[in-house]
Amino acid sequence: MDTISNMSDLGVASSRVSGITENSSVIKPSRRQFLKTSTAAAGVLALGISAPIATRRAMADTAAGESSLIDIWLTIDKNDQVTVAIANSEMGQGVYTSMAMLVAEELEVDWNSVHAAAAPAAPAYKNLMFGMQATGGSTSIRWAYDPLRAVGAGAREMLIQAAADQWGVPAIECKAANATVTHAASNRSLRYGELVDVASKMSPPTDVKLKTPEQWSILGTSAKRLDTPLKVNGTAEFGIDVQVPDMHIATVMACPTFGGKLKSVDEAPALAVKGVKKVLKLDDAVIVVADAYWPAKKGLAALSPEWDRGANAGRNNESYRAELLAAIENEAPVAHDQGDTVAALTAASEVVEALYEVPHLAHATMEPMNATALITEDGAEVWAPTQGPGIIQRVAAGVLQIAPEQVKVNTTFLGGGFGRRFEMDFIVQTLLAAKMMGGPVKLIWSREEDMKHDFYRPASVSAFKAVLNDEGYPTAWHNRIACPSIMSRVFPNSVKDGIDGQSVEAANELPYAIEHQRVEYKITETGVPVGFWRAVGNSQNAWFVQSFVDELAAKAGIDPYAYQMKLLEGHPRHQAVLKAAVEASAWSERSASKPLGLAVQKSFGSYCAMVVELEPDVKSRLKIRHISAAIDCGIALNPDTVVAQIESSIVYGLTAAYYGEIDIEDGAVKQSNFPNYPMLKLEQMPAIDVAIVNSGEAVGGIGEPGLPPLAPALTNAVFFATGDRVRRLPLVKAGYSV
Amino acid sequence: MSYELNINGETLSVDVDADTPLLWAVRDNLKLTGTKFGCGVASCGACTMHIDGQAVRTCVLPVSAVVGKEIKTIESLSDDNSHPIQQAWIEEEVPQCGYCQSGMIMAATALLNNKANPTEKDIDSAMTNICRCGTYSRVRKGIHRAVELMAAK
């Protein structure tokens, strides 16, 4: 079953577009007046979304059966084939499947008949939570939940109306099911494929009625993933697999120090390698272009570039750590303030204090960074495993001095994303190489380049002070954080009064009933480029906060579960997941022979709690016996995907907690490849149970919420087992063998 | 230099330097892109193929060393996803991003070819490939399911 195709394989070619302008403001989707038919090839019902999304209609070239695909979300052809355009990037999280499920549910078709196709880059495919076509922040299903169901429902209503008109009966007497419209009273039925010609000439409904969850037959089920069949036989096309006629293959080395420049390079040793075509000099990097990857790599290895190592050349672990620790010595911009925390701390007879630290982390996606580009007189075409096809259009337009709509973007499957593929560095290098070569170039980074030139999870320090009342519960909470700011680079306008919201997420919106709270944050640049890493600020702040709460419980001599439940009063969703995780664990038998720890965190609109149980002999080897996770993502649209994403987040978080640390030496990253930046292996995989708490609330994200509670639940268990409070990650550097 | 390689039952010729790793000869010269590049130092297993029936990491294995040997890539398993390991992977929904899965599948297939009913420990020691999506527990389940499917054949 080949269920994935590219939109260009639908038999209708993409055509020119004009006059599209980007509107980057976030618009809340409405269920009214936003469906439209697109002029498609004859006999195909093609439905898109228009106003209130601020796009103008694409200019469609209807000659010779061609149409614009630029705003189509759904096509149904005469053979009943249903194809859903997927605007978001598939990086393992299952969006090809879940987004198609949203359409298929309302459309009333059999899941096995549904195909998915990568949407091109176009304003119509904007992620409405971002205001641009990009995947991240666990937003895909949150933004698409209403619009895509409305697309399916709109098409269904049109097909019903087309049948009713043909039969001369009221539409209300007709029913759609299994890609067929039926009029029971007269025992007549027509397949969707027989109705698309008529339906495609109709105006789409201005209002559609969506099914209630009780009426669902696809949503809420573990529908089989559409991409799995392609991923068990090598046919799934990742960026690294792209083949363009006459393309060259290139590889790159950037200045090892961040911010350094290329001074000079003798090209001759590379050009002497058989198959090498050219050495390209960028401002801060050398690219070797060849017939194939191996000669390109050999050519690059033969070079001895001279670098201007730049302002960061003297930096190292100790220097950035000293800067972070110095930053939290002083009062910093206030991210959250309630009550009078400073007065409460001053008046207290005892203040509980703790200082936590986490290092920079690399993403280490399995597929190293790569992209392919071709630049012609008409514009540019890019093939890329990217989380930001819409961003590529704008960035390429800037680099090449052309209009964004002259940039065609083909989003391939992504061999992991985790935030790394939101970045444009490798795209820009590829565009420059393709421009210099005057022909198509596929640029592939080595693993070493990938590890040494990431945008790292920021190193962060977090200092806490708390005052406890006579019962042992906090009445004052003071938290000061210092770390580099991602948003200052990526979206500087979002940083207000010194506060990058992502640097303090999970720290500044505590669900706890604490009278006096103050959270401060100091942007502290370390000279290391930082970027979005799975769960972003939640990844470190949840560890800090959930560890410190565990410290307070220990100080109070109260069971952490009872302590959390009391502090979480008034937050029933937090309480419900914590209760579910604890009840699925051996918490009631918690003892030296069963050491357990717990944590709970809301992130990306979902609530997740975890209980980690360790093998008792933690000192000789830290080994996890079992993890109980509970997740409330509102509605679990595909429960198996929900479970898979929790498993995935646990492994990602566990790898970081065990091993993760990027060391800076002389302004450059010391780690180079998996042997010195190790990954969790199958042998270490803990047993995991995932309880899904279906609250029925608004749909939440699922790609990231499973990560934040893992590390604190783990180190809280370590504390229970050993009395050792881990305040600096990773665990291997704290003396633990994993 | 030109090398004649026995790949997936066919004799194919590649014109590359002697030190070219089999992975790149297969990907760039023969355009069989199912096998992936992950690390280049035989650490992650994304490039796993079968050489004379054994799972081998091919990103550091020179073409000159595999002449005359039987080489199999992910593309050799079946034309229609009918191989028990593929069936098991689909049933258990093993892949997420999928990038490591060609290597995982080739490592698992070699394991099962050598041992029809592996123990948990056998799986632990044979399956050392890296997966960043964390599909490990499903890889284990997939292997157990493939054992059942193979036994039922």
Side-chain angles (χ1 to χ4, degrees):
Chain A
M1 180 178 64
D2 176 16
T3 48
I4 311 284
S5 57
N6 192 287
M7 266 301 186
S8 56
D9 297 335
L10 290 176
V12 273
S14 178
S15 69
R16 63 195 163 80
V17 293
S18 66
I20 292 172
T21 54
E22 287 267 7
N23 178 345
S24 60
S25 63
V26 176
I27 301 157
K28 198 171 159 40
S30 153
R31 285 187 203 171
R32 296 181 59 85
Q33 296 184 322
F34 73 160
L35 294 175
K36 64 173 184 176
T37 47
S38 280
T39 316
V44 176
L45 174 59
L47 213 59
I49 307 175
S50 68
I53 302 170
T55 67
R56 270 176 239 159
R57 178 136 186 175
M59 293 287 289
D61 181 357
T62 53
E66 283 199 349
S67 76
S68 167
L69 293 169
I70 217 73
D71 51 7
I72 292 172
W73 283 90
L74 163 67
T75 63
I76 309 166
D77 72 10
K78 286 184 167 172
N79 300 316
D80 298 339
Q81 175 161 317
V82 173
T83 304
V84 179
I86 308 296
N88 284 85
S89 303
E90 177 60 70
M91 45 193 178
Q93 82 282 39
V95 279
Y96 267 45
T97 305
S98 48
M99 291 180 100
M101 286 171 74
L102 294 171
V103 175
E105 178 63 61
E106 293 290 341
L107 188 57
E108 300 291 3
V109 290
D110 180 55
W111 178 242
N112 293 318
S113 71
V114 176
H115 297 234
Y125 299 113
K126 221 180 258 184
N127 175 334
L128 295 178
M129 285 180 75
F130 281 163
M132 58 187 167
Q133 189 179 350
T135 303
S138 298
T139 57
S140 301
I141 297 305
R142 286 192 284 166
W143 86 260
Y145 182 59
D146 279 348
L148 286 198
R149 287 189 301 146
V151 166
R156 178 194 70 216
E157 294 306 314
M158 291 165 76
L159 292 159
I160 289 175
Q161 191 64 54
D165 289 352
Q166 195 161 328
W167 296 325
V169 301
I172 199 157
E173 290 180 9
C174 302
K175 271 203 159 46
N178 202 14
T180 304
V181 181
T182 307
H183 185 243
S186 60
N187 199 23
R188 282 179 290 191
S189 66
L190 285 166
R191 288 185 301 103
Y192 282 1
E194 297 173 293
L195 293 164
V196 291
D197 204 14
V198 176
S200 67
K201 297 178 179 93
M202 294 165 54
S203 291
T206 54
D207 201 2
V208 291
K209 192 160 180 267
L210 300 178
K211 294 160 97 174
T212 60
E214 296 73 40
Q215 297 170 312
W216 287 346
S217 59
I218 295 173
L219 291 174
T221 73
S222 294
K224 297 300 282 181
R225 283 180 70 127
L226 297 179
D227 52 349
T228 300
L230 305 177
K231 291 177 174 177
V232 299
N233 60 22
T235 57
E237 187 183 58
F238 295 87
I240 203 168
D241 303 327
V242 166
Q243 306 290 334
V244 176
D246 304 321
M247 80 180 175
H248 285 110
I249 297 181
T251 193
V252 63
M253 178 179 12
C255 179
T257 52
F258 301 116
K261 303 284 179 207
L262 176 66
K263 267 207 287 205
S264 65
V265 62
D266 173 13
E267 302 174 18
L271 294 173
V273 174
K274 189 184 152 202
V276 169
K277 295 294 170 208
K278 217 161 186 175
V279 175
L280 307 176
K281 294 176 218 168
L282 304 188
D283 192 36
D284 59 352
V286 186
I287 293 175
V288 174
V289 183
D291 291 334
Y293 180 78
W294 188 249
K297 184 183 167 70
K298 272 170 72 178
L300 191 65
L303 296 177
S304 309
E306 278 202 54
W307 306 105
D308 168 1
R309 293 170 66 83
N312 293 314
R315 288 191 186 249
N316 54 47
N317 276 9
E318 289 69 36
S319 65
Y320 83 69
R321 187 176 176 222
E323 288 167 45
L324 292 171
L325 292 172
I328 54 164
E329 289 299 318
N330 302 309
E331 209 172 307
V334 176
H336 178 77
D337 208 11
Q338 72 183 64
D340 191 342
T341 310
V342 175
L345 289 170
T346 310
S349 57
E350 188 183 6
V351 176
V352 187
E353 294 190 50
L355 175 67
Y356 286 81
E357 299 175 58
V358 293
H360 293 108
L361 296 174
H363 294 83
T365 61
M366 284 309 298
E367 181 187 16
M369 295 304 108
N370 69 83
T372 304
L374 169 63
I375 293 153
T376 64
E377 284 177 7
D378 301 327
E381 184 159 7
V382 178
W383 296 259
T386 177
Q387 290 176 244
I391 309 171
I392 289 180
Q393 279 194 310
R394 288 191 232 172
V395 166
V399 169
L400 304 170
Q401 295 297 303
I402 57 177
E405 56 268 30
Q406 287 175 278
V407 182
K408 186 181 175 198
V409 182
N410 307 281
T411 305
T412 64
F413 282 117
L414 284 63
F418 314 119
R420 177 62 180 90
R421 290 195 152 95
F422 204 86
E423 303 292 346
M424 293 290 126
D425 52 337
F426 59 101
I427 302 288
V428 171
Q429 289 176 345
T430 308
L431 288 165
L432 292 172
K435 191 176 178 192
M436 291 184 203
M437 291 303 291
V441 172
K442 174 157 73 177
L443 178 73
I444 302 171
W445 286 24
S446 65
R447 171 59 58 192
E448 290 78 10
E449 189 71 9
D450 190 277
M451 198 155 282
K452 288 179 179 294
H453 290 283
D454 200 343
F455 290 83
Y456 303 86
R457 197 281 303 274
S460 181
V461 300
S462 180
F464 292 99
K465 290 176 185 171
V467 177
L468 304 185
N469 63 17
D470 292 345
E471 287 76 47
Y473 290 93
T475 54
W477 174 282
H478 188 277
N479 183 194
R480 188 177 291 155
I481 295 164
C483 68
S485 162
I486 301 166
M487 297 302 262
S488 297
R489 171 179 62 89
V490 183
F491 300 109
N493 292 341
S494 73
V495 179
K496 299 252 165 29
D497 300 325
I499 300 299
D500 171 345
Q502 306 232 349
S503 298
V504 296
E505 59 188 3
N508 69 339
E509 288 175 354
L510 298 182
Y512 300 127
I514 303 172
E515 189 182 353
H516 306 287
Q517 296 184 26
R518 189 178 174 100
V519 179
E520 299 176 10
Y521 168 54
K522 180 67 182 168
I523 294 179
T524 314
E525 297 307 335
T526 58
V528 178
V530 294
F532 304 111
W533 188 93
R534 199 171 192 171
V536 198
N538 295 285
S539 76
Q540 71 264 23
N541 287 319
W543 183 64
F544 300 149
V545 169
Q546 290 294 304
S547 295
F548 191 57
V549 169
D550 201 70
E551 289 204 48
L552 299 183
K555 176 89 183 163
I558 300 172
D559 174 277
Y561 175 49
Y563 197 80
Q564 289 262 13
M565 290 300 270
K566 166 92 174 156
L567 276 179
L568 288 167
E569 275 175 9
H571 293 270
R573 295 180 73 185
H574 285 84
Q575 289 183 318
V577 290
L578 186 55
K579 185 165 183 279
V582 164
E583 287 180 352
S585 77
W587 193 265
S588 59
E589 304 155 50
R590 190 167 177 251
S591 63
S593 63
K594 278 192 194 241
L596 290 94
L598 59 76
V600 57
Q601 184 63 47
K602 176 195 176 188
S603 61
F604 308 98
S606 295
Y607 299 72
C608 188
M610 282 180 196
V611 178
V612 171
E613 179 183 344
L614 301 175
E615 297 287 354
D617 191 8
V618 173
K619 287 286 186 189
S620 61
R621 188 187 175 189
L622 196 163
K623 196 163 190 303
I624 296 176
R625 187 183 278 164
H626 185 260
I627 298 176
S628 300
I631 174 79
D632 167 10
C633 55
I635 305 168
L637 296 173
N638 184 319
D640 189 60
T641 296
V642 169
V643 171
Q645 285 308 297
I646 299 297
E647 292 168 350
S648 177
S649 298
I650 286 173
V651 171
Y652 209 77
L654 201 49
T655 305
Y658 279 179
Y659 301 115
E661 178 161 27
I662 285 293
D663 292 302
I664 307 298
E665 259 183 16
D666 301 330
V669 168
K670 190 177 154 191
Q671 282 75 14
S672 57
N673 205 321
F674 295 125
N676 57 18
Y677 193 75
M679 298 289 139
L680 195 87
K681 299 271 180 75
L682 179 140
E683 183 266 333
Q684 297 159 290
M685 184 72 187
I688 298 169
D689 283 315
V690 181
I692 295 175
V693 177
N694 260 319
S695 64
E697 298 287 340
V699 171
I702 201 58
E704 295 163 281
L707 189 139
L710 182 275
L714 170 65
T715 51
N716 291 343
V718 169
F719 171 77
F720 182 79
T722 65
D724 175 20
R725 179 63 65 184
V726 179
R727 296 199 184 91
R728 193 177 173 190
L729 291 177
L731 282 156
V732 291
K733 297 266 174 83
Y736 290 91
S737 162
V738 296
Chain B
M1 264 197 75
S2 186
Y3 295 90
E4 305 255 292
L5 302 176
N6 174 359
I7 298 187
N8 300 338
E10 280 183 82
T11 301
L12 300 169
S13 163
V14 289
D15 186 16
V16 293
D17 280 358
D19 62 353
T20 304
L22 177 60
L23 169 70
W24 292 110
V26 165
R27 284 186 57 84
D28 284 350
N29 297 75
L30 301 176
K31 313 287 186 213
L32 289 172
T33 56
T35 311
K36 302 306 184 207
F37 164 58
C39 69
V41 295
S43 173
C44 77
C47 61
T48 304
M49 298 181 198
H50 293 177
I51 311 289
D52 290 341
Q54 301 301 314
V56 176
R57 295 180 178 179
T58 61
C59 66
V60 292
L61 180 68
V63 158
S64 50
V66 292
V67 174
K69 296 180 189 276
E70 191 178 85
I71 302 161
K72 287 216 152 74
T73 69
I74 181 80
E75 286 88 354
S76 71
L77 285 188
S78 74
D79 294 330
D80 54 0
N81 286 351
S82 60
H83 190 287
I85 204 103
Q86 293 173 315
Q87 288 293 304
W89 250 237
I90 291 169
E91 280 185 34
E92 299 292 344
E93 295 284 20
V94 176
Q96 289 187 28
C97 90
Y99 193 79
C100 74
Q101 294 298 335
S102 294
M104 284 281 187
I105 286 172
M106 294 309 280
T109 312
L111 168 66
L112 295 182
N113 288 346
N114 293 326
K115 198 154 192 182
N117 199 357
T119 64
E120 301 297 348
K121 279 229 176 311
D122 293 333
I123 295 173
D124 284 348
S125 44
M127 301 303 293
T128 56
N129 299 31
I130 294 172
C131 168
R132 285 292 273 153
C133 298
T135 61
Y136 297 127
S137 50
R138 290 172 187 240
V139 166
R140 188 187 294 281
K141 277 192 215 164
I143 291 170
H144 288 309
R145 181 63 186 138
V147 167
E148 290 173 9
L149 291 171
M150 283 171 163
K153 262 197 166 177

